[in-house]
Amino acid sequence: MARFGLTAKGVVYCLVGILAFMAAFEIGGKSEQGSDKSGVFQFILEQSYGRILLAIIALGLLCYTIWRFIQAFKDTENKGDNAKGIGVRIRYAFSGVVYGALAYYAAQLVLGNGGGSNGDSRQSLARELLQQPFGQWLVGIVAVGTAIAGFHQIYLAISDKYKKKVQGTGLKHEAEAMMIRAGKIGYIARGIVWLIIAYLFLKAAMNSNPKEAGGSGSAFQFLENSSYGSYLLGAVAIGLIFYGVFMFMRARYQVINVS
């Protein structure tokens, strides 16, 4: 399940990167908003045998979700029960929730449901939170949590801690070096996207306007609208493709602990 899930995640990120790159340089009429994960699912659905392909992706994401929950609750990575270990396991569980939601959305599209919804799920989340007591603070907390996740991705890249997932695989030095380079660029690109999403949530909290929040599609649009936007978005898109490639490599070579 772990290897199948990592492969499905790699496919999704590679397609996100490809569509974002096409949007950056106006190739094939692609837009930034159509380059997020829901846009990728729609893209897959429109291909030959798209429903079958999307069903396979949905199943893979479900497997990834289950693996993350096993890591969190069975502590297969031996993170322990201290504060640091609990924090890591909570991160695993949160990852499982996120990819479980993606698997559910993909399954709904396969079954012919949900395809007419074009709303941004993060805008919906911000809208729901703002309607609660202390809503602006709640959205602000989401912004801070998202920013922490983004900085953590960049920290993994800069500190080289991500190398643990692929080192000692028995690969030739050149292949391992390629994996490490792809992972570093990919984690930095992913961190940048998370930080932009955090900034958008912070704006939504400060202005009490859920329309200012957004997901990866809004982050891509933010990059595109900045100075040298096409080049910035293109660079991040290539980084996300590298992240997807790194997931393929993890699926093939990472040691998966099962007990």
Side-chain angles (χ1 to χ4, degrees), residues 55-92:
I56 294 172
I57 294 295
L59 182 59
L61 294 176
L62 177 61
C63 287
Y64 186 82
T65 298
I66 294 170
W67 177 51
R68 282 310 217 182
F69 285 141
I70 290 173
Q71 284 183 304
F73 295 111
K74 301 294 288 184
D75 194 20
T76 56
E77 300 295 321
N78 296 316
K79 297 301 180 181
D81 295 325
N82 57 21
K84 182 179 179 181
I86 293 295
V88 173
R89 291 164 67 182
I90 289 174
R91 181 163 55 85
Y92 290 157

Short mmCIF file of all heavy atoms in Angstrom, two decimals, residues 55-92:
data_model
loop_
_atom_site.label_atom_id
_atom_site.label_comp_id
_atom_site.label_asym_id
_atom_site.label_seq_id
_atom_site.Cartn_x
_atom_site.Cartn_y
_atom_site.Cartn_z
N ALA A 55 -9.65 6.11 -11.34
CA ALA A 55 -9.98 5.13 -10.30
C ALA A 55 -8.71 4.53 -9.70
O ALA A 55 -8.62 4.32 -8.48
CB ALA A 55 -10.87 4.03 -10.87
N ILE A 56 -7.71 4.27 -10.55
CA ILE A 56 -6.44 3.73 -10.06
C ILE A 56 -5.74 4.75 -9.17
O ILE A 56 -5.20 4.41 -8.11
CB ILE A 56 -5.54 3.33 -11.25
CG1 ILE A 56 -6.17 2.15 -12.01
CG2 ILE A 56 -4.13 2.96 -10.77
CD1 ILE A 56 -5.47 1.82 -13.31
N ILE A 57 -5.76 6.03 -9.59
CA ILE A 57 -5.16 7.09 -8.78
C ILE A 57 -5.88 7.20 -7.44
O ILE A 57 -5.24 7.33 -6.38
CB ILE A 57 -5.21 8.43 -9.53
CG1 ILE A 57 -4.33 8.39 -10.78
CG2 ILE A 57 -4.78 9.57 -8.61
CD1 ILE A 57 -2.86 8.23 -10.50
N ALA A 58 -7.22 7.16 -7.47
CA ALA A 58 -7.99 7.26 -6.23
C ALA A 58 -7.64 6.12 -5.28
O ALA A 58 -7.48 6.32 -4.07
CB ALA A 58 -9.49 7.26 -6.54
N LEU A 59 -7.52 4.91 -5.83
CA LEU A 59 -7.16 3.76 -5.00
C LEU A 59 -5.75 3.93 -4.43
O LEU A 59 -5.50 3.62 -3.26
CB LEU A 59 -7.24 2.48 -5.85
CG LEU A 59 -6.92 1.17 -5.11
CD1 LEU A 59 -7.86 0.96 -3.94
CD2 LEU A 59 -7.00 0.00 -6.08
N GLY A 60 -4.83 4.44 -5.26
CA GLY A 60 -3.47 4.68 -4.78
C GLY A 60 -3.44 5.69 -3.65
O GLY A 60 -2.74 5.51 -2.65
N LEU A 61 -4.20 6.78 -3.78
CA LEU A 61 -4.25 7.79 -2.73
C LEU A 61 -4.90 7.23 -1.46
O LEU A 61 -4.51 7.60 -0.34
CB LEU A 61 -5.02 9.02 -3.22
CG LEU A 61 -4.34 9.81 -4.35
CD1 LEU A 61 -5.23 10.94 -4.82
CD2 LEU A 61 -2.98 10.35 -3.90
N LEU A 62 -5.87 6.36 -1.63
CA LEU A 62 -6.46 5.70 -0.45
C LEU A 62 -5.42 4.84 0.25
O LEU A 62 -5.34 4.84 1.49
CB LEU A 62 -7.66 4.86 -0.89
CG LEU A 62 -8.34 4.04 0.23
CD1 LEU A 62 -8.88 4.95 1.31
CD2 LEU A 62 -9.45 3.17 -0.36
N CYS A 63 -4.62 4.12 -0.52
CA CYS A 63 -3.55 3.31 0.07
C CYS A 63 -2.55 4.19 0.82
O CYS A 63 -2.09 3.84 1.92
CB CYS A 63 -2.83 2.52 -1.02
SG CYS A 63 -3.79 1.14 -1.68
N TYR A 64 -2.22 5.34 0.22
CA TYR A 64 -1.31 6.27 0.89
C TYR A 64 -1.91 6.75 2.20
O TYR A 64 -1.22 6.86 3.23
CB TYR A 64 -1.02 7.46 -0.03
CG TYR A 64 0.02 8.41 0.50
CD1 TYR A 64 1.38 8.15 0.35
CD2 TYR A 64 -0.35 9.58 1.16
CE1 TYR A 64 2.34 9.02 0.84
CE2 TYR A 64 0.60 10.45 1.65
CZ TYR A 64 1.93 10.17 1.49
OH TYR A 64 2.88 11.04 1.99
N THR A 65 -3.21 7.03 2.18
CA THR A 65 -3.92 7.47 3.39
C THR A 65 -3.83 6.43 4.49
O THR A 65 -3.51 6.74 5.65
CB THR A 65 -5.40 7.76 3.05
OG1 THR A 65 -5.47 8.81 2.09
CG2 THR A 65 -6.18 8.15 4.29
N ILE A 66 -4.11 5.18 4.13
CA ILE A 66 -4.07 4.09 5.12
C ILE A 66 -2.67 3.94 5.69
O ILE A 66 -2.49 3.78 6.91
CB ILE A 66 -4.55 2.77 4.48
CG1 ILE A 66 -6.04 2.89 4.10
CG2 ILE A 66 -4.34 1.60 5.42
CD1 ILE A 66 -6.55 1.74 3.26
N TRP A 67 -1.66 4.01 4.82
CA TRP A 67 -0.27 3.90 5.28
C TRP A 67 0.07 4.99 6.28
O TRP A 67 0.70 4.74 7.30
CB TRP A 67 0.67 3.94 4.08
CG TRP A 67 2.13 3.92 4.44
CD1 TRP A 67 2.76 3.03 5.26
CD2 TRP A 67 3.13 4.83 4.00
NE1 TRP A 67 4.11 3.31 5.34
CE2 TRP A 67 4.36 4.42 4.58
CE3 TRP A 67 3.13 5.94 3.15
CZ2 TRP A 67 5.55 5.10 4.35
CZ3 TRP A 67 4.32 6.60 2.91
CH2 TRP A 67 5.52 6.19 3.51
N ARG A 68 -0.36 6.23 5.98
CA ARG A 68 -0.08 7.34 6.88
C ARG A 68 -0.74 7.12 8.25
O ARG A 68 -0.14 7.41 9.30
CB ARG A 68 -0.56 8.65 6.27
CG ARG A 68 0.34 9.24 5.20
CD ARG A 68 1.78 9.31 5.65
NE ARG A 68 2.46 10.50 5.18
CZ ARG A 68 3.73 10.76 5.42
NH1 ARG A 68 4.46 9.90 6.13
NH2 ARG A 68 4.30 11.85 4.98
N PHE A 69 -1.96 6.62 8.25
CA PHE A 69 -2.63 6.36 9.52
C PHE A 69 -1.93 5.24 10.29
O PHE A 69 -1.83 5.28 11.53
CB PHE A 69 -4.10 6.02 9.30
CG PHE A 69 -4.96 7.21 8.96
CD1 PHE A 69 -5.96 7.12 8.00
CD2 PHE A 69 -4.76 8.42 9.58
CE1 PHE A 69 -6.76 8.21 7.70
CE2 PHE A 69 -5.55 9.53 9.28
CZ PHE A 69 -6.54 9.43 8.33
N ILE A 70 -1.46 4.22 9.57
CA ILE A 70 -0.71 3.14 10.23
C ILE A 70 0.57 3.70 10.86
O ILE A 70 0.93 3.36 11.99
CB ILE A 70 -0.38 2.02 9.22
CG1 ILE A 70 -1.66 1.28 8.83
CG2 ILE A 70 0.63 1.04 9.82
CD1 ILE A 70 -1.48 0.28 7.71
N GLN A 71 1.26 4.57 10.11
CA GLN A 71 2.46 5.20 10.67
C GLN A 71 2.13 6.00 11.93
O GLN A 71 2.89 5.98 12.91
CB GLN A 71 3.08 6.15 9.64
CG GLN A 71 3.84 5.47 8.52
CD GLN A 71 4.47 6.50 7.60
OE1 GLN A 71 3.79 7.36 7.05
NE2 GLN A 71 5.77 6.41 7.43
N ALA A 72 1.00 6.69 11.91
CA ALA A 72 0.63 7.55 13.03
C ALA A 72 0.23 6.76 14.26
O ALA A 72 0.69 7.03 15.37
CB ALA A 72 -0.50 8.49 12.61
N PHE A 73 -0.64 5.75 14.07
CA PHE A 73 -1.25 5.08 15.23
C PHE A 73 -0.49 3.84 15.68
O PHE A 73 -0.52 3.50 16.86
CB PHE A 73 -2.71 4.73 14.90
CG PHE A 73 -3.58 5.94 14.69
CD1 PHE A 73 -4.08 6.24 13.44
CD2 PHE A 73 -3.87 6.79 15.74
CE1 PHE A 73 -4.86 7.36 13.23
CE2 PHE A 73 -4.65 7.92 15.55
CZ PHE A 73 -5.15 8.21 14.30
N LYS A 74 0.22 3.19 14.75
CA LYS A 74 1.00 2.01 15.14
C LYS A 74 2.46 2.34 15.37
O LYS A 74 3.23 1.49 15.83
CB LYS A 74 0.89 0.93 14.05
CG LYS A 74 -0.55 0.47 13.76
CD LYS A 74 -1.16 -0.24 14.96
CE LYS A 74 -0.55 -1.61 15.17
NZ LYS A 74 -1.20 -2.34 16.27
N ASP A 75 2.85 3.57 15.06
CA ASP A 75 4.22 4.05 15.26
C ASP A 75 5.25 3.11 14.62
O ASP A 75 6.22 2.69 15.25
CB ASP A 75 4.53 4.22 16.75
CG ASP A 75 5.81 5.03 16.99
OD1 ASP A 75 6.23 5.75 16.06
OD2 ASP A 75 6.40 4.92 18.08
N THR A 76 5.03 2.79 13.35
CA THR A 76 5.93 1.88 12.64
C THR A 76 7.31 2.50 12.39
O THR A 76 8.26 1.80 12.05
CB THR A 76 5.33 1.46 11.29
OG1 THR A 76 5.02 2.63 10.52
CG2 THR A 76 4.06 0.65 11.50
N GLU A 77 7.41 3.84 12.52
CA GLU A 77 8.69 4.51 12.33
C GLU A 77 9.43 4.69 13.65
O GLU A 77 10.49 5.34 13.68
CB GLU A 77 8.48 5.87 11.66
CG GLU A 77 7.81 5.81 10.30
CD GLU A 77 8.65 5.11 9.26
OE1 GLU A 77 9.88 5.30 9.27
OE2 GLU A 77 8.09 4.36 8.44
N ASN A 78 8.87 4.17 14.73
CA ASN A 78 9.51 4.26 16.06
C ASN A 78 9.82 5.69 16.47
O ASN A 78 10.92 5.99 16.95
CB ASN A 78 10.79 3.42 16.09
CG ASN A 78 10.52 1.94 15.89
OD1 ASN A 78 9.59 1.39 16.49
ND2 ASN A 78 11.31 1.29 15.06
N LYS A 79 8.83 6.56 16.32
CA LYS A 79 9.02 7.95 16.71
C LYS A 79 8.86 8.15 18.22
O LYS A 79 9.33 9.15 18.77
CB LYS A 79 8.03 8.85 15.96
CG LYS A 79 8.22 8.85 14.45
CD LYS A 79 9.61 9.33 14.06
CE LYS A 79 9.81 9.33 12.55
NZ LYS A 79 11.17 9.77 12.16
N GLY A 80 8.17 7.23 18.87
CA GLY A 80 8.05 7.29 20.32
C GLY A 80 6.85 8.10 20.79
O GLY A 80 6.06 8.62 19.99
N ASP A 81 6.74 8.21 22.13
CA ASP A 81 5.59 8.88 22.74
C ASP A 81 5.98 10.19 23.41
O ASP A 81 5.18 10.76 24.18
CB ASP A 81 4.94 7.96 23.78
CG ASP A 81 4.34 6.72 23.13
OD1 ASP A 81 3.83 6.83 22.00
OD2 ASP A 81 4.39 5.64 23.76
N ASN A 82 7.20 10.68 23.16
CA ASN A 82 7.55 11.99 23.72
C ASN A 82 6.94 13.08 22.84
O ASN A 82 6.29 12.81 21.83
CB ASN A 82 9.08 12.14 23.82
CG ASN A 82 9.78 11.95 22.49
OD1 ASN A 82 9.17 12.07 21.42
ND2 ASN A 82 11.06 11.64 22.52
N ALA A 83 7.16 14.34 23.24
CA ALA A 83 6.50 15.45 22.55
C ALA A 83 6.88 15.50 21.06
O ALA A 83 6.02 15.69 20.20
CB ALA A 83 6.88 16.77 23.23
N LYS A 84 8.17 15.30 20.77
CA LYS A 84 8.62 15.35 19.37
C LYS A 84 8.01 14.20 18.57
O LYS A 84 7.53 14.40 17.44
CB LYS A 84 10.14 15.28 19.31
CG LYS A 84 10.71 15.36 17.90
CD LYS A 84 12.23 15.31 17.92
CE LYS A 84 12.79 15.36 16.50
NZ LYS A 84 14.28 15.31 16.50
N GLY A 85 8.01 13.01 19.16
CA GLY A 85 7.45 11.85 18.46
C GLY A 85 5.96 12.00 18.20
O GLY A 85 5.47 11.68 17.11
N ILE A 86 5.23 12.48 19.20
CA ILE A 86 3.79 12.70 19.03
C ILE A 86 3.53 13.73 17.94
O ILE A 86 2.61 13.58 17.13
CB ILE A 86 3.15 13.16 20.36
CG1 ILE A 86 3.19 12.02 21.40
CG2 ILE A 86 1.72 13.63 20.14
CD1 ILE A 86 2.35 10.82 21.03
N GLY A 87 4.37 14.78 17.89
CA GLY A 87 4.22 15.80 16.85
C GLY A 87 4.37 15.23 15.46
O GLY A 87 3.60 15.54 14.55
N VAL A 88 5.39 14.37 15.29
CA VAL A 88 5.60 13.75 13.98
C VAL A 88 4.43 12.84 13.61
O VAL A 88 3.95 12.84 12.47
CB VAL A 88 6.92 12.95 13.98
CG1 VAL A 88 7.07 12.16 12.67
CG2 VAL A 88 8.11 13.87 14.16
N ARG A 89 3.94 12.09 14.58
CA ARG A 89 2.83 11.18 14.31
C ARG A 89 1.54 11.93 13.99
O ARG A 89 0.73 11.49 13.16
CB ARG A 89 2.66 10.23 15.49
CG ARG A 89 3.83 9.24 15.60
CD ARG A 89 3.88 8.55 16.94
NE ARG A 89 2.73 7.66 17.13
CZ ARG A 89 2.51 6.97 18.25
NH1 ARG A 89 3.37 7.07 19.27
NH2 ARG A 89 1.47 6.17 18.35
N ILE A 90 1.35 13.08 14.64
CA ILE A 90 0.20 13.93 14.30
C ILE A 90 0.33 14.42 12.86
O ILE A 90 -0.66 14.48 12.12
CB ILE A 90 0.09 15.12 15.28
CG1 ILE A 90 -0.36 14.62 16.65
CG2 ILE A 90 -0.88 16.17 14.75
CD1 ILE A 90 -0.35 15.69 17.73
N ARG A 91 1.56 14.75 12.45
CA ARG A 91 1.78 15.18 11.07
C ARG A 91 1.44 14.06 10.10
O ARG A 91 0.84 14.30 9.03
CB ARG A 91 3.23 15.63 10.89
CG ARG A 91 3.58 16.13 9.51
CD ARG A 91 4.87 16.93 9.51
NE ARG A 91 5.97 16.19 10.10
CZ ARG A 91 6.73 15.34 9.42
NH1 ARG A 91 6.47 15.08 8.14
NH2 ARG A 91 7.74 14.72 10.00
N TYR A 92 1.80 12.82 10.44
CA TYR A 92 1.43 11.68 9.60
C TYR A 92 -0.09 11.56 9.47
O TYR A 92 -0.63 11.34 8.39
CB TYR A 92 1.99 10.38 10.18
CG TYR A 92 3.49 10.22 10.10
CD1 TYR A 92 4.16 9.37 10.98
CD2 TYR A 92 4.24 10.89 9.15
CE1 TYR A 92 5.54 9.21 10.92
CE2 TYR A 92 5.61 10.74 9.08
CZ TYR A 92 6.26 9.90 9.97
OH TYR A 92 7.61 9.74 9.90
#
